[in-house]
Amino acid sequence: MKQFNGQVLFLDRDDINTDEIIPAKYLTENSKEALKPHILEDLHLDGFNAGRDIAGKSIIVAKSNFGCGSSREHAVWVFEVNDIKVVIAESFARIFRQNMFNCGMLAIELPKNEIDTLFLLGENTVINVDLEQNKIIAQNEQGRKEEFSFTLNPFDRELVLADGWLAYADSKY
Amino acid sequence: AYVFTFNLTFLFNMVKKLDSLWTIDFQCIRSVRIMGKTIAEKIFAAHLRDEPSPGNVVLDIDVILCHEITTPIAINDLVAKNRDRVFDPDKIKAVIDHVTPAKDSKTATQGKILRDWARRHKIKDFFDIGRNGVCHAIFPEKGFIRPGYTVIMGDSHTCTHGAFGAFAAGVGTTDLEVGILKGVCSFREPKTMKVYISGKLPDTVSAKDVILNIIKQISVNGATDMVMEFVGPVVEQMSMEARMTLCNMAIEAGGTSGICMPDRVTVEYLWPFIKDSYASVDEAVADSKKWHSDPDAVYAKELRIDVSGLQPQVTYGFKPDEVKDITDMEGTPIDQVYIGSCTNGRIEDLRAAAAILANRTIAPTVRGILSPATPAIYSRAMAEGLIKVFMDAGFCVTNPTCGACLGMSNGVLAEGEACASTTNRNFNGRMGKGGMVHLMSPLSAAAAAIAGHITDPGKYL
Ligand code: SF4
């Protein structure tokens, strides 16, 4: 089973859009790697500094309607090349969510109160996503632990396990 | 009735389970379900290829649209994976529209990748410089979108094409790759939001104001994972151009696709392309009705709006649901006016703006930019004398392109500048870092150009 775990980057806002995740001017790049330094470059969030806050993080926790706006899969790739393979949020924009699963990555929805609880854990929280039990286990520096279960629809799970939609579709259609 | 429906659903699920044991024709059973279907559900049923898990479907796709921003990276990936193939070159349409003519080596390379690919796979519907226009304007204009079709494109405003009674959705690069390779795409079963629009549109109010007001009411994620079905007397009276404007911004409320019922207006627009398939317009109209939502179709949400008292609408913030009546924005200074894009760069939009610009000149503090969305619109506007009106008023007229709409070329804003724009997205930095975009109708944008600030277009009509 694939492993998804690591340090959390908390982004405390609704409606974070794909222009903020990766500005349109970088859409002329023809490789994923070239996007790497521009992750969340235009994100406007009090106290957030892309240059300082992203290193070492592998899971994003955010609020509602994450990834709204354009269809650019670059928004998923810029996470991928920065080793962020999971986004946990109250809700996602459809295309972004689909792009995550299509790339074999995880977009997990949790109810608002559980997201709020995760935010309360604060900086230096580590999350472990257990794909077998459908559980998220979060632990902060002080050792406080929170556990939530999530639902993943069987098709999305298959995409994650198959390493994305292209491999899946290629073997099936 | 509710209990009855529940029991039937239960029965249906039972049968569905049995289906896996006894190879009963599942589609057959689904069709005896007594609940009516929405247009989106009908299109899904007619294109169903697979149902990998309950609620997830894989559809056959009728048209795959491509442009030079999201497709080259898909092409490169397919080449790298040794899958440089296309499932059907006649079902793939491609255009260079976002940055054209190319502005630098990178955009030139993107164009080249798309161009070379179209040539090597014999994609005959490929539109390059001189014949190119904004994707969601040029593809419908060529008759590529028909009622009942499934359409995908690596572009979020693909929802525009729902105006023709098609299911049209923006997708990411991987979906596009699979589409190009296999002609299929996966979706969740569609839920539909019905938007019933009644009343009489005031003279200064257009489809753009209506959709901005709807987004204001339901918010930027009010229609997430839903098809927005636009119905009612106001929609029935709208031209295809206006319906495209309406459907274009469904994504700004999170909608998967906008959709309108195909009718006589649709058929007349498409007639040059479908006349060989039908004996008469009447026959085509009658045939298109098969896609109409059933009266007992089930909706996830319903919104009713009466437009009779509606004012022109303008956005004030960095989200498309941050919308105010134009009178509440009166006097907001403007540095640039942009008329164009897949939302409002069509002939009707140019006529509306020209009605205000005729015999007037724009404020000296304003830069006016017009980009007719396609060459056909451009030459029509020329024939009608509209281009001259724009130029006499002080506008710069550019070739058809997306350019300024996404802040890539032909009118990028400087820090601190504001633009009155007929586009669809006002995200922070959209038309240039530090710039503010006020979304509005062509009438309101033309009025802002004359006044030098946001103002009610009514006073110039
Ligand atoms: S005109 Fe703007 S919104 Fe429309 S396709 Fe082009 S960039 Fe996208």
Side-chain angles (χ1 to χ4, degrees):
Chain A
M1 191 68 74
K2 275 182 155 182
Q3 291 294 312
F4 294 94
N5 49 52
Q7 283 271 340
V8 177
L9 170 65
F10 289 100
L11 300 176
D12 192 0
R13 222 195 70 202
D14 293 334
D15 306 321
I16 290 176
N17 67 56
T18 52
D19 277 70
E20 294 173 297
I21 298 170
I22 183 79
K25 61 175 179 251
Y26 303 117
L27 302 187
T28 56
E29 300 295 348
N30 285 315
S31 84
K32 293 183 184 180
E33 276 303 317
L35 304 172
K36 193 171 177 179
H38 307 296
I39 179 170
L40 296 169
E41 192 171 281
D42 275 356
L43 180 65
H44 295 260
L45 201 59
D46 283 343
F48 174 74
N49 178 321
R52 180 195 65 204
D53 297 339
I54 288 161
K57 306 290 166 58
S58 34
I59 294 183
I60 286 177
V61 174
K63 300 265 163 111
S64 74
N65 199 27
F66 189 86
C68 61
S70 98
S71 65
R72 68 191 67 152
E73 201 157 304
H74 305 65
V76 167
W77 301 331
V78 76
F79 289 153
E80 188 184 4
V81 295
N82 279 282
D83 285 323
I84 295 170
K85 305 277 170 66
V86 183
V87 181
I88 301 169
E90 281 169 40
S91 61
F92 292 93
R94 179 192 65 89
I95 304 176
F96 179 86
R97 183 193 60 217
Q98 191 65 52
N99 288 345
M100 285 288 284
F101 288 111
N102 281 350
C103 289
M105 291 156 68
L106 274 171
I108 297 174
E109 290 182 342
L110 288 183
K112 182 173 177 0
N113 61 326
E114 297 182 2
I115 292 284
D116 289 344
T117 308
L118 287 177
F119 269 93
L120 288 178
L121 291 175
E123 288 298 299
N124 298 318
T125 291
V126 173
I127 282 183
N128 199 335
V129 181
D130 182 338
L131 265 186
E132 251 157 300
Q133 312 264 342
N134 281 352
K135 275 203 175 93
I136 284 168
I137 302 126
Q139 188 163 11
N140 71 3
E141 255 183 327
Q142 292 78 37
R144 210 173 111 204
K145 215 166 158 180
E146 297 287 350
E147 208 178 296
F148 300 115
S149 37
F150 61 89
T151 46
L152 199 60
N153 94 32
F155 178 57
D156 290 342
R157 170 190 295 272
E158 279 190 60
L159 292 183
V160 172
L161 299 180
D163 246 343
W165 172 227
L166 187 65
Y168 179 98
D170 212 25
S171 68
K172 233 181 136 181
Y173 303 111
Chain B
Y2 183 74
V3 175
F4 183 58
T5 315
F6 169 77
N7 280 339
L8 268 180
T9 313
F10 176 72
L11 245 171
F12 170 67
N13 285 336
M14 289 291 293
V15 174
K16 198 166 143 186
K17 280 206 186 98
L18 290 175
D19 175 42
S20 52
L21 299 174
W22 303 331
T23 62
I24 299 169
D25 184 359
F26 172 58
Q27 277 313 301
C28 206
I29 286 160
R30 179 198 289 254
S31 66
V32 301
R33 201 161 54 140
I34 56 147
M35 277 184 299
K37 285 188 180 146
T38 61
I39 179 169
E41 286 167 339
K42 289 183 181 184
I43 297 172
F44 270 50
H47 291 80
L48 192 67
R49 164 80 76 96
D50 189 14
E51 198 165 5
S53 71
N56 291 93
V57 292
V58 174
L59 302 184
D60 285 315
I61 303 300
D62 293 313
V63 206
I64 292 163
L65 308 173
C66 301
H67 65 53
E68 92 283 14
I69 294 290
T70 52
T71 313
I73 200 151
I75 296 168
N76 283 352
D77 196 47
L78 287 172
V79 170
K81 290 181 172 141
N82 218 358
R83 287 175 177 76
D84 182 24
R85 301 185 298 268
V86 302
F87 86 107
D88 182 346
D90 292 342
K91 291 187 174 174
I92 298 175
K93 321 285 175 185
V95 68
I96 295 178
D97 64 348
H98 275 58
V99 187
T100 177
K103 64 170 180 172
D104 54 20
S105 310
K106 278 187 175 162
T107 50
T109 304
Q110 286 186 301
K112 181 171 163 47
I113 294 170
L114 191 70
R115 188 180 297 120
D116 291 349
W117 172 76
R119 281 186 191 145
R120 92 176 157 261
H121 293 293
K122 306 194 166 44
I123 294 167
K124 62 180 193 315
D125 294 314
F126 167 62
F127 303 94
D128 207 339
I129 192 104
R131 292 173 208 90
N132 58 359
V134 176
C135 50
H136 309 306
I138 199 161
F139 292 137
E141 195 182 86
K142 300 283 177 194
F144 296 153
I145 319 296
R146 311 280 171 83
Y149 268 23
T150 48
V151 183
I152 61 166
M153 178 171 198
D155 191 285
S156 61
H157 294 102
T158 307
C159 51
T160 312
H161 307 284
F164 291 83
F167 172 79
V171 297
T173 303
T174 303
D175 274 335
L176 184 65
E177 287 180 30
V178 172
I180 288 169
L181 203 56
K182 306 279 178 181
V184 298
C185 192
S186 85
F187 290 98
R188 294 195 178 178
E189 286 272 19
K191 286 178 288 178
T192 301
M193 173 185 219
K194 183 186 204 166
V195 183
Y196 184 88
I197 310 173
S198 63
K200 187 182 178 307
L201 276 178
D203 288 345
T204 54
V205 177
S206 65
K208 179 66 160 287
D209 304 292
V210 175
I211 188 64
L212 283 173
N213 186 265
I214 291 169
I215 297 165
K216 175 189 182 174
Q217 291 193 40
I218 66 175
S219 91
V220 287
N221 60 355
T224 297
D225 273 320
M226 281 182 236
V227 172
M228 292 179 81
E229 183 182 302
F230 299 103
V231 292
V234 173
V235 185
E236 283 160 25
Q237 275 158 36
M238 278 181 178
S239 64
M240 285 316 299
E241 281 81 357
R243 291 179 194 182
M244 283 190 257
T245 303
L246 207 55
C247 291
N248 176 269
M249 290 190 74
I251 183 69
E252 306 309 329
T256 305
S257 179
I259 208 159
C260 299
M261 299 303 144
D263 59 8
R264 185 167 296 273
V265 178
T266 322
V267 167
E268 279 171 358
Y269 184 102
L270 289 174
W271 190 243
F273 310 102
I274 60 174
K275 61 180 188 323
D276 294 339
S277 315
Y278 296 97
S280 66
V281 168
D282 287 337
E283 192 190 290
V285 173
D287 185 48
S288 75
K289 289 216 173 82
K290 66 173 182 252
W291 298 110
H292 284 206
S293 294
D294 295 326
D296 56 345
V298 181
Y299 292 90
K301 264 192 193 175
E302 280 198 47
L303 176 75
R304 298 181 84 85
I305 138 166
D306 185 320
V307 294
S308 305
L310 195 65
Q311 269 202 38
Q313 304 285 295
V314 181
T315 63
Y316 60 87
F318 292 127
K319 292 197 304 164
D321 59 359
E322 295 177 330
V323 174
K324 284 185 180 170
D325 287 351
I326 201 157
T327 44
D328 294 335
M329 296 286 289
E330 175 72 41
T332 309
I334 290 297
D335 303 287
Q336 177 172 301
V337 171
Y338 183 73
I339 297 178
S341 87
C342 59
T343 322
N344 281 125
R346 301 190 180 83
I347 191 72
E348 281 188 2
D349 304 314
L350 273 54
R351 287 183 195 137
I356 285 189
L357 297 173
N359 304 315
R360 295 195 172 99
T361 47
I362 63 177
T365 50
V366 167
R367 311 184 295 271
I369 300 169
L370 165 70
S371 175
T374 68
I377 295 166
Y378 200 138
S379 39
R380 181 117 176 234
M382 205 123 70
E384 291 182 20
L386 307 178
I387 299 296
K388 182 162 167 34
V389 170
F390 276 95
M391 293 184 73
D392 288 351
F395 263 75
C396 156
V397 182
T398 81
N399 64 306
T401 179
C402 294
C405 170
L406 78 165
M408 286 189 83
S409 63
N410 285 16
V412 180
L413 299 178
E415 189 115 23
E417 288 189 327
C419 181
S421 179
T422 68
T423 54
N424 48 34
R425 224 163 239 168
N426 56 342
F427 293 165
N428 198 343
R430 172 76 177 181
M431 291 182 86
K433 205 178 175 78
M436 163 65 83
V437 180
H438 296 291
L439 304 175
M440 61 185 78
S441 72
L443 270 183
S444 302
I450 303 293
H453 54 78
I454 294 177
T455 194
D456 190 337
K459 69 179 185 220
Y460 295 119
L461 280 176

mmCIF file of all heavy atoms in Angstrom, chain A residues 8 15 29 38 58 60 68 73 76 78 83 99 117 121 126-127 137 139 168 172:
data_model
loop_
_atom_site.group_PDB
_atom_site.id
_atom_site.type_symbol
_atom_site.label_atom_id
_atom_site.label_comp_id
_atom_site.label_asym_id
_atom_site.label_seq_id
_atom_site.Cartn_x
_atom_site.Cartn_y
_atom_site.Cartn_z
ATOM 1 N N VAL A 8 2.774 18.968 8.106
ATOM 2 C CA VAL A 8 1.610 19.653 7.553
ATOM 3 C C VAL A 8 1.878 21.134 7.291
ATOM 4 O O VAL A 8 2.498 21.823 8.096
ATOM 5 C CB VAL A 8 0.416 19.538 8.527
ATOM 6 C CG1 VAL A 8 -0.785 20.311 8.004
ATOM 7 C CG2 VAL A 8 0.053 18.076 8.734
ATOM 8 N N ASP A 15 -11.496 29.074 -0.621
ATOM 9 C CA ASP A 15 -11.403 29.527 -2.018
ATOM 10 C C ASP A 15 -9.972 29.813 -2.499
ATOM 11 O O ASP A 15 -9.750 30.743 -3.275
ATOM 12 C CB ASP A 15 -12.243 30.807 -2.240
ATOM 13 C CG ASP A 15 -13.683 30.651 -1.810
ATOM 14 O OD1 ASP A 15 -14.247 29.563 -2.044
ATOM 15 O OD2 ASP A 15 -14.245 31.604 -1.236
ATOM 16 N N GLU A 29 5.725 26.937 -19.205
ATOM 17 C CA GLU A 29 6.781 25.952 -18.956
ATOM 18 C C GLU A 29 6.342 24.604 -19.516
ATOM 19 O O GLU A 29 5.179 24.241 -19.436
ATOM 20 C CB GLU A 29 7.028 25.805 -17.442
ATOM 21 C CG GLU A 29 7.462 27.090 -16.755
ATOM 22 C CD GLU A 29 8.830 27.586 -17.226
ATOM 23 O OE1 GLU A 29 9.532 26.824 -17.918
ATOM 24 O OE2 GLU A 29 9.179 28.746 -16.924
ATOM 25 N N HIS A 38 7.947 28.070 -7.899
ATOM 26 C CA HIS A 38 6.850 29.046 -7.940
ATOM 27 C C HIS A 38 5.602 28.609 -7.178
ATOM 28 O O HIS A 38 4.553 29.218 -7.303
ATOM 29 C CB HIS A 38 6.515 29.357 -9.394
ATOM 30 C CG HIS A 38 7.710 29.772 -10.186
ATOM 31 N ND1 HIS A 38 8.411 30.923 -9.898
ATOM 32 C CD2 HIS A 38 8.375 29.164 -11.199
ATOM 33 C CE1 HIS A 38 9.438 31.021 -10.730
ATOM 34 N NE2 HIS A 38 9.445 29.961 -11.526
ATOM 35 N N SER A 58 4.729 18.003 3.509
ATOM 36 C CA SER A 58 4.238 17.082 2.484
ATOM 37 C C SER A 58 2.728 16.906 2.461
ATOM 38 O O SER A 58 2.205 16.169 1.625
ATOM 39 C CB SER A 58 4.930 15.729 2.575
ATOM 40 O OG SER A 58 5.211 15.402 3.886
ATOM 41 N N ILE A 60 -0.977 19.252 2.799
ATOM 42 C CA ILE A 60 -1.616 20.556 3.002
ATOM 43 C C ILE A 60 -2.964 20.355 3.668
ATOM 44 O O ILE A 60 -3.716 19.445 3.305
ATOM 45 C CB ILE A 60 -1.779 21.302 1.656
ATOM 46 C CG1 ILE A 60 -0.413 21.820 1.186
ATOM 47 C CG2 ILE A 60 -2.775 22.468 1.772
ATOM 48 C CD1 ILE A 60 -0.421 22.502 -0.167
ATOM 49 N N CYS A 68 -10.067 26.147 -6.623
ATOM 50 C CA CYS A 68 -11.048 26.653 -7.585
ATOM 51 C C CYS A 68 -10.329 27.458 -8.677
ATOM 52 O O CYS A 68 -9.152 27.792 -8.548
ATOM 53 C CB CYS A 68 -12.109 27.513 -6.892
ATOM 54 S SG CYS A 68 -11.468 28.970 -6.075
ATOM 55 N N GLU A 73 -3.598 21.598 -14.526
ATOM 56 C CA GLU A 73 -3.081 20.521 -13.695
ATOM 57 C C GLU A 73 -1.739 20.922 -13.077
ATOM 58 O O GLU A 73 -1.258 20.292 -12.151
ATOM 59 C CB GLU A 73 -2.947 19.244 -14.537
ATOM 60 C CG GLU A 73 -2.898 17.970 -13.716
ATOM 61 C CD GLU A 73 -3.317 16.762 -14.526
ATOM 62 O OE1 GLU A 73 -4.435 16.775 -15.086
ATOM 63 O OE2 GLU A 73 -2.526 15.813 -14.620
ATOM 64 N N VAL A 76 -1.565 20.905 -9.464
ATOM 65 C CA VAL A 76 -1.288 19.625 -8.806
ATOM 66 C C VAL A 76 0.200 19.278 -8.953
ATOM 67 O O VAL A 76 0.857 18.864 -8.013
ATOM 68 C CB VAL A 76 -2.195 18.520 -9.395
ATOM 69 C CG1 VAL A 76 -1.738 17.135 -8.967
ATOM 70 C CG2 VAL A 76 -3.649 18.758 -8.981
ATOM 71 N N VAL A 78 2.740 21.245 -9.289
ATOM 72 C CA VAL A 78 3.646 22.067 -8.484
ATOM 73 C C VAL A 78 3.688 21.517 -7.056
ATOM 74 O O VAL A 78 4.724 21.588 -6.388
ATOM 75 C CB VAL A 78 3.274 23.570 -8.552
ATOM 76 C CG1 VAL A 78 2.057 23.890 -7.706
ATOM 77 C CG2 VAL A 78 4.457 24.445 -8.155
ATOM 78 N N ASP A 83 6.980 17.536 -3.443
ATOM 79 C CA ASP A 83 6.738 16.395 -2.546
ATOM 80 C C ASP A 83 5.521 16.546 -1.647
ATOM 81 O O ASP A 83 5.483 16.015 -0.545
ATOM 82 C CB ASP A 83 7.982 16.094 -1.690
ATOM 83 C CG ASP A 83 9.040 15.403 -2.521
ATOM 84 O OD1 ASP A 83 8.666 14.580 -3.375
ATOM 85 O OD2 ASP A 83 10.236 15.715 -2.334
ATOM 86 N N ASN A 99 -7.995 16.187 -10.824
ATOM 87 C CA ASN A 99 -6.584 16.214 -11.227
ATOM 88 C C ASN A 99 -5.692 15.529 -10.189
ATOM 89 O O ASN A 99 -4.724 14.858 -10.543
ATOM 90 C CB ASN A 99 -6.109 17.656 -11.439
ATOM 91 C CG ASN A 99 -6.682 18.282 -12.706
ATOM 92 O OD1 ASN A 99 -7.206 17.590 -13.562
ATOM 93 N ND2 ASN A 99 -6.579 19.599 -12.816
ATOM 94 N N THR A 117 -10.311 21.278 14.065
ATOM 95 C CA THR A 117 -9.525 20.575 15.084
ATOM 96 C C THR A 117 -8.080 20.403 14.615
ATOM 97 O O THR A 117 -7.138 20.590 15.390
ATOM 98 C CB THR A 117 -10.142 19.193 15.388
ATOM 99 O OG1 THR A 117 -11.520 19.380 15.688
ATOM 100 C CG2 THR A 117 -9.460 18.515 16.546
ATOM 101 N N LEU A 121 -4.117 22.046 16.143
ATOM 102 C CA LEU A 121 -2.867 21.357 16.481
ATOM 103 C C LEU A 121 -1.655 22.248 16.243
ATOM 104 O O LEU A 121 -0.635 22.113 16.897
ATOM 105 C CB LEU A 121 -2.732 20.068 15.666
ATOM 106 C CG LEU A 121 -3.706 18.940 16.015
ATOM 107 C CD1 LEU A 121 -3.540 17.792 15.048
ATOM 108 C CD2 LEU A 121 -3.488 18.466 17.448
ATOM 109 N N VAL A 126 2.365 16.466 12.368
ATOM 110 C CA VAL A 126 2.647 15.414 11.394
ATOM 111 C C VAL A 126 1.367 14.611 11.176
ATOM 112 O O VAL A 126 0.644 14.326 12.126
ATOM 113 C CB VAL A 126 3.768 14.487 11.908
ATOM 114 C CG1 VAL A 126 3.933 13.296 10.985
ATOM 115 C CG2 VAL A 126 5.074 15.256 12.016
ATOM 116 N N ILE A 127 1.079 14.324 9.912
ATOM 117 C CA ILE A 127 -0.115 13.524 9.614
ATOM 118 C C ILE A 127 0.291 12.241 8.925
ATOM 119 O O ILE A 127 1.197 12.226 8.086
ATOM 120 C CB ILE A 127 -1.116 14.331 8.748
ATOM 121 C CG1 ILE A 127 -1.898 15.319 9.617
ATOM 122 C CG2 ILE A 127 -2.114 13.389 8.036
ATOM 123 C CD1 ILE A 127 -2.949 16.118 8.876
ATOM 124 N N ILE A 137 -4.246 10.169 10.976
ATOM 125 C CA ILE A 137 -3.756 10.296 12.343
ATOM 126 C C ILE A 137 -2.811 11.496 12.366
ATOM 127 O O ILE A 137 -1.804 11.528 11.664
ATOM 128 C CB ILE A 137 -3.018 9.028 12.808
ATOM 129 C CG1 ILE A 137 -3.973 7.839 12.699
ATOM 130 C CG2 ILE A 137 -2.523 9.161 14.243
ATOM 131 C CD1 ILE A 137 -3.452 6.700 11.916
ATOM 132 N N GLN A 139 -0.558 14.300 14.688
ATOM 133 C CA GLN A 139 0.075 14.481 15.995
ATOM 134 C C GLN A 139 0.915 15.746 15.975
ATOM 135 O O GLN A 139 1.678 15.975 15.035
ATOM 136 C CB GLN A 139 0.951 13.275 16.317
ATOM 137 C CG GLN A 139 1.485 13.317 17.724
ATOM 138 C CD GLN A 139 1.996 11.959 18.188
ATOM 139 O OE1 GLN A 139 2.144 11.035 17.405
ATOM 140 N NE2 GLN A 139 2.275 11.847 19.483
ATOM 141 N N TYR A 168 -4.475 3.660 -15.470
ATOM 142 C CA TYR A 168 -5.727 2.930 -15.277
ATOM 143 C C TYR A 168 -6.472 2.775 -16.608
ATOM 144 O O TYR A 168 -6.857 1.678 -17.003
ATOM 145 C CB TYR A 168 -6.583 3.689 -14.259
ATOM 146 C CG TYR A 168 -7.939 3.056 -13.959
ATOM 147 C CD1 TYR A 168 -8.116 2.248 -12.838
ATOM 148 C CD2 TYR A 168 -9.038 3.298 -14.782
ATOM 149 C CE1 TYR A 168 -9.355 1.685 -12.557
ATOM 150 C CE2 TYR A 168 -10.277 2.734 -14.514
ATOM 151 C CZ TYR A 168 -10.436 1.929 -13.398
ATOM 152 O OH TYR A 168 -11.659 1.372 -13.130
ATOM 153 N N LYS A 172 -7.436 -0.449 -19.275
ATOM 154 C CA LYS A 172 -8.839 -0.863 -19.280
ATOM 155 C C LYS A 172 -9.628 -0.539 -20.539
ATOM 156 O O LYS A 172 -10.573 -1.247 -20.876
ATOM 157 C CB LYS A 172 -9.534 -0.213 -18.085
ATOM 158 C CG LYS A 172 -10.255 -1.289 -17.266
ATOM 159 C CD LYS A 172 -10.973 -0.740 -16.092
ATOM 160 C CE LYS A 172 -12.350 -1.398 -16.005
ATOM 161 N NZ LYS A 172 -13.146 -0.933 -14.910
#
